[in-house]
Amino acid sequence: MAVDYAVIIVYLAGMLAMGWWGMRRAKSKSEFLVAGRRLGPWMYSGTMAAIVLGGASTIGGVGLGYQYGLSGAWMVFTIGLGLLALSVFFSARIARLKVYTVSEMLDLRYGGRAGLISGVVMWAYTLMLAVTSTIAYATIFDVLFDMNRTVAIILGGAIVVAYSTLGGMWSITLTDMVQFVVKTIGVLLLLLPIAVIKAGGFSEMKAKLPTEYFDPLGIGGETIFTYVLIYTFGMLIGQDIWQRVFTARSDRTARWGGTVAGTYCLVYAIAGAVIGTAAKVMYPKLPSADAAFATIVKDELPVGVRGLVLAAALAAVMSTSSGALIACATVANNDIWSRLRGVVSRGGGEEHDEVKGNRAFILIMGVAVIAIAIALNNVVEALTVAYNLLVGGLLVPILGGLLWRRGTAAGALAAVSVGGLAVIGLMASYGILANEPVYYGLLSSLAVYVIVSLATKPTDAAVLAAWRERLAGKGSEPTESAPDPVTV
């Protein structure tokens, strides 16, 4: 394992070095939070693919393939579909807004009265997303070093917190590009063909497994529908995803770069399912489907290659973890803390201080994420809670604001509140992993949004005019004129 250890250690050291380089470049709020909005198509595509394809997509995607066969690709496939929909239909408009958070977009659209509540919901989502990604370090480091779970979480989490705190989005962008390359080589070019060959090829796989393993809909129609509802729509509204859209240097970059990333996700989804199916042939009685990835890597890959593939899994986890962490810190600082203090950023000479403030929040949120990850055991439940709150509480007011002129601030606040509370109440009633909470939560959010919007005074014409200007790429940056937090 010495060669494998060397590969991992070099990779981790490289992540820290890029964090140090990013610190020297991130000198303003824009540079620190959205990489100066300067990413070109190739870097944008790589970093976008890196953040959406995390540990759940890699380790979990292979596990679903082990459990259901080729139809296990649907979870990651719906993530790719969501990214394609975001890129084709919404990314250009989102990029032109020149904001830093989803809540700032809601403030612009509805007149400065929706940001705080939506910020709390988005913060809860990004926090749990960061936590679930951080927990995944335990699995990888256990395979590598037979390491204690708590120590593994602290080690992996500390590295991500370090490079994210140092250089913000520039560090995360650079590390994500490396992680994208490592994932592509490790999973698509090495693990996929080796797994199929070790399983005896597709003909042998078909001979040894039930026919439902090769049914594209074998996982079940209701499950696929739930994946679409949670992951496809979740891709449209998550702060972690929008913050990457904000880094694009142009509308065209956001649209076409995101389309490339979404297509890559579809390929990655199929690859994970095929690897899991091959693992089922080789190890038909594993104690857990999620152990399929680690088992096939540990037992079937040659020295050196094994280290690179494990680095690919580590890259997948780190990219999602760092993206969720900076999103969580950005929301906590800009949408919650600054509003509670009644502070409005007006631009001028405070940019460097804003960098310090955001850096402090990344450090604080990072420590909190590591502590929660150590205390929490059930990753699936935590992730389900996060996505249910996101989709049930925020999908309707966000898409409504982008698509329906008649939507009002009162309607948006009612949708966030009712949808969020409905999801929480229904999870307590039906169970966290049930499908009903997100179904009924989303329907209740939509109903109150439409009813309250139609029953209240239309959004002020001046607010809508300013909104249309921003959508057209005009108007000032939010650092020069932010919504009044007192009205929240």
Side-chain angles (χ1 to χ4, degrees):
M1 292 287 288
V3 176
D4 296 326
Y5 292 162
V7 171
I8 298 295
I9 291 170
V10 168
Y11 167 77
L12 294 176
M15 297 299 99
L16 292 174
M18 289 183 184
W20 184 261
W21 186 92
M23 181 180 68
R24 300 174 61 187
R25 184 158 188 169
K27 300 298 184 182
S28 69
K29 180 180 180 180
S30 177
E31 296 282 352
F32 190 82
L33 294 182
V34 291
R37 308 187 196 272
R38 289 191 289 166
L39 297 192
W42 293 111
M43 185 167 282
Y44 178 86
S45 298
T47 57
M48 183 62 86
I51 188 176
V52 300
L53 296 174
S57 300
T58 304
I59 299 171
V62 171
L64 287 172
Y66 182 89
Q67 188 173 359
Y68 298 104
L70 298 185
S71 66
W74 273 106
M75 184 187 77
V76 183
F77 204 83
T78 55
I79 290 174
L81 292 178
L83 188 51
L84 285 171
L86 174 72
S87 301
V88 173
F89 299 111
F90 299 108
S91 62
R93 282 185 283 179
I94 292 171
R96 285 196 294 265
L97 290 174
K98 302 295 184 185
V99 294
Y100 292 103
T101 68
V102 174
S103 295
E104 287 181 12
M105 166 263 168
L106 291 173
D107 275 343
L108 283 169
R109 169 60 181 81
Y110 295 113
R113 288 178 289 169
L116 182 58
I117 294 177
S118 63
V120 171
V121 175
M122 188 64 76
W123 173 79
Y125 157 73
T126 53
L127 178 70
M128 295 314 297
L129 184 61
V131 167
T132 54
S133 301
T134 303
I135 291 173
Y137 296 128
T139 301
I140 299 170
F141 283 114
D142 178 58
V143 175
L144 279 171
F145 307 115
D146 193 24
M147 187 178 290
N148 174 271
R149 177 182 183 273
T150 299
V151 175
I153 289 173
I154 292 173
L155 175 60
I159 292 171
V160 169
V161 171
Y163 73 69
S164 300
T165 302
L166 285 172
M169 187 59 81
W170 268 121
S171 294
I172 293 171
T173 296
L174 293 171
T175 53
D176 276 359
M177 278 305 298
V178 174
Q179 289 159 357
F180 170 74
V181 172
V182 171
K183 279 192 288 191
T184 301
I185 296 173
V187 175
L188 297 185
L189 301 184
L190 293 176
L191 183 58
L192 175 60
I194 290 173
V196 173
I197 292 170
K198 291 282 187 177
F202 284 104
S203 59
E204 187 71 13
M205 291 162 63
K206 286 186 176 181
K208 290 187 175 181
L209 294 174
T211 56
E212 55 263 29
Y213 264 72
F214 301 92
D215 179 359
L217 303 178
I219 199 170
E222 184 178 355
T223 299
I224 294 171
F225 177 74
T226 302
Y227 284 157
V228 170
L229 200 61
I230 293 178
Y231 297 114
T232 301
F233 285 118
M235 287 297 105
L236 298 180
I237 59 176
Q239 169 67 25
D240 52 324
I241 309 302
W242 276 41
Q243 199 156 345
R244 295 309 173 97
V245 176
F246 300 152
T247 66
R249 71 184 180 197
S250 66
D251 298 357
R252 183 179 178 84
T253 295
R255 183 182 295 111
W256 293 108
T259 301
V260 171
T263 304
Y264 178 90
C265 292
L266 303 183
V267 175
Y268 200 88
I270 297 170
V274 171
I275 293 168
T277 304
K280 184 68 175 180
V281 173
M282 291 181 277
Y283 310 98
K285 295 184 179 180
L286 288 176
S288 167
D290 285 341
F293 180 89
T295 302
I296 195 171
V297 169
K298 193 172 184 178
D299 294 349
E300 302 297 335
L301 299 185
V303 174
V305 173
R306 179 171 50 208
L308 183 59
V309 173
L310 285 171
L314 196 58
V317 175
M318 283 188 162
S319 57
T320 299
S321 181
S322 59
L325 176 59
I326 193 172
C328 177
T330 302
V331 171
N333 187 21
N334 291 270
D335 293 336
I336 300 175
W337 178 243
S338 64
R339 295 168 189 272
L340 292 175
R341 290 194 309 152
V343 174
V344 181
S345 173
R346 297 294 182 185
E350 301 298 323
E351 283 285 290
H352 187 65
D353 291 338
E354 290 191 51
V355 170
K356 287 183 178 179
N358 282 290
R359 185 174 280 136
F361 264 86
I362 291 178
L363 181 59
I364 293 168
M365 291 297 106
V367 172
V369 163
I370 292 172
I372 296 170
I374 292 171
L376 198 64
N377 287 319
N378 197 315
V379 180
V380 176
E381 288 191 358
L383 196 60
T384 301
V385 171
Y387 271 99
N388 282 354
L389 282 172
L390 177 71
V391 174
L394 291 179
L395 179 66
V396 169
I398 291 172
L399 293 189
L402 289 169
L403 300 174
W404 192 38
R405 177 187 173 91
R406 187 60 179 82
T408 65
L413 288 169
V416 174
S417 303
V418 172
L421 291 174
V423 164
I424 293 171
L426 290 167
M427 282 192 295
S429 176
Y430 285 96
I432 289 176
L433 299 180
N435 293 327
E436 287 84 357
V438 71
Y439 294 167
Y440 299 140
L442 188 56
L443 287 174
S444 63
S445 179
L446 177 61
V448 297
Y449 179 73
V450 173
I451 293 170
V452 174
S453 291
L454 292 176
T456 53
K457 184 180 178 181
T459 304
D460 186 85
V463 172
L464 286 178
W467 167 254
R468 285 193 296 270
E469 280 191 6
R470 189 64 71 86
L471 280 178
K474 303 173 183 178
S476 59
E477 290 264 0
T479 52
E480 295 173 1
S481 180
D484 186 356
V486 178
T487 64
V488 177

